Amino acid sequence: MNPQALASPARWLQRFVADVDVPPASDYERWWRDRGQAISDAVDRAGTPHLRMFDAQGRRIDEIQFPPEYWDALARGYEAGLVWRAFAEPRSLLPGFVLGYVTSFFDPGIYCPFTVSLSTAVPLDKYAGEEVKARLLAPMLARSGRCWQGATWMTEARGGSDLGAAVETTACSIGDGTWRLNGDKYFCSNVGAEVALVAARPDGAPAGVRGLGLFAVPRLRGDGTLNHTIRRLKDKIATRSVPTGEVELRDSEGWRLGPEQPGVYLILEALNLSRIANSIGSVALAQRALADALAFGCERVAFGRPIVEHPLLGVQVRERIAALEAASALAWEAARQLDVVWRERPPYSEQYDLFRLMAHLSKYWTAENAVQTARWAIEVFGGAGTLAENRVERWLREAVILAIWEGTPHRQMLDGLEVMERKGAHHLLLERLRAGAEPGAIEDWSLRLERFLAQDRADREASVGPVFHDLALFAGHALAQRVPKLAPKPDHGAAAG
Ligand SMILES: Cc1cc2nc3c(=O)[nH]c(=O)nc-3n(C[C@H](O)[C@H](O)[C@H](O)COP(=O)(O)OP(=O)(O)OC[C@H]3O[C@@H](n4cnc5c(N)ncnc54)[C@H](O)[C@@H]3O)c2cc1C
């Protein structure tokens, strides 16, 4: 293969989304290469930003202090259209995902603010009343770099996987269309955002996940005072270019979204959108780690030749590229499925069920592949890979978080299992994969899944790991068959900036 194909995110994407028109993608990439990467490196090395809780008069302000260049990097992405493009004709999520891919190639963590802003804007657009939209959504869709940001806060101290048991935040209607929320949120990314979507239990609602509602909560009340406060910022191993904090909601003003719908569906819609963005970001991270490893390996000489020319490493490079192609194909197919169904409301179509299964497969496998590729890239660098100054160790720190937030691998497997059990979504998936599959492979998979699903519940859960893993890989490789092939000629000149 030609390693130059890996050095540019926009170029790699041409094989997967050639039909998506994003005018500024290559300018945006140039900006990241020339300026953004250095900002991102500095933010990562600086560690947790400072939380300035009070102003000089002793008033509570909860301001997150990054270097000014950080805000320029964010503004650049918002201006390019990571959020507003989804709301411009022809109403597609794909152009924003392309820009998200380019962003993540340079800084996977900073893609989080854009992702959660989109995952806030979409439910607001679908489920908020006109007054709330005018107040909260319109400033988010401003086409300037100074638009409002969003955030999605579900997790509480007792856990993120079992939201039905863990969410203790309550919401009480005060009769004028607004609600008051009380509780503590434990992992709140993009914590300085102007608007957050918050999972809470309306007074009198039943226990469990079905009793949850989704609320839009602004950062400031009408009188300009804080509507919630930040207890502290999390001191994370990576994704330092998004601030994550703990938030205290105390009689915080909010609006309930889609009260006529089960709130858990709205929560899952927001999460599933973020899972697709996470998949896109994970693939970009894997491409970057691979590009960096290849650039290093083409220059590093051992036993008389560049290390990538040794047979063992050569095989591993080809395997990693094949895995990247499969992960890319899976992520972009899941993104395209979402692009078809993202404006559906409950009750959902069969196509939506297929999207859900693809979202779980894609979130799971792309993040796993990112972790594996980043770990392998460190190995290729040898001792130099363990040094912070060479950046490649950062991709592993970032990848580990991509696998956890928006739901752990276990969560993806169990939710994927549920949509197969209850909706039979695997039948549609297998049909979708037929064109790229070897003869007989679809029938073999059909049989394997039938046998697997025929077990009792505990056995299904216990054995879902390898089935889900193999299915994700099978789907990725089958989908990759339909993607134009890379030029085969080797040329060891790649460098990822
Ligand atoms: C940097 C960062 C930022 C985050 N930002 C946000 C945010 O903005 N908003 C937000 O809402 N959340 C956020 N999260 C929280 C994240 O979504 C949760 O960490 C994640 O969902 C897992 O929840 P938990 O950490 O509480 O683990 P737990 O739910 O306690 O799970 C612990 C372990 O048990 C496993 N497990 C749980 N149930 C089962 C089961 N039935 N079978 C098998 N295994 C199981 C899990 O997979 C996991 O491995 C963030 C997390 C991180 C690390």
Side-chain angles (χ1 to χ4, degrees), residues 344-364:
E344 279 193 21
R345 295 158 185 251
Y348 302 116
S349 66
E350 270 192 339
Q351 180 99 23
Y352 196 94
D353 299 331
L354 169 63
F355 154 68
R356 276 181 55 205
L357 179 54
M358 294 223 57
H360 297 307
L361 290 167
S362 172
K363 199 296 178 169
Y364 159 70

Side-chain angles (χ1 to χ4, degrees), residues 19-87:
D19 55 319
V20 179
D21 183 25
V22 195
S26 48
D27 287 353
Y28 185 62
E29 176 175 335
R30 200 168 310 117
W31 181 85
W32 269 103
R33 208 173 283 286
D34 295 346
R35 179 118 181 83
Q37 184 70 77
I39 298 171
S40 165
D41 288 348
V43 167
D44 179 59
R45 293 304 300 274
T48 308
H50 179 65
L51 173 63
R52 184 175 176 230
M53 296 174 87
F54 299 94
D55 70 7
Q57 303 296 332
R59 283 177 294 245
R60 188 79 189 253
I61 52 167
D62 287 3
E63 196 179 275
I64 294 144
Q65 298 196 309
F66 277 110
E69 294 82 357
Y70 168 81
W71 303 110
D72 292 344
L74 266 190
R76 194 83 194 184
Y78 283 116
E79 209 168 38
L82 269 127
V83 176
W84 66 257
R85 278 179 192 276
F87 297 86

Side-chain angles (χ1 to χ4, degrees), residues 11 27 36 43 47 77 111 123 151 160 173 179 183 219 303 311 323 346 376 398 404 466 474:
R11 207 175 320 142
D27 287 353
V43 167
Y111 186 26
S173 166
W179 294 66
R219 179 169 184 270
F303 302 100
W376 173 83
E398 302 268 350
I404 301 254
F474 172 66

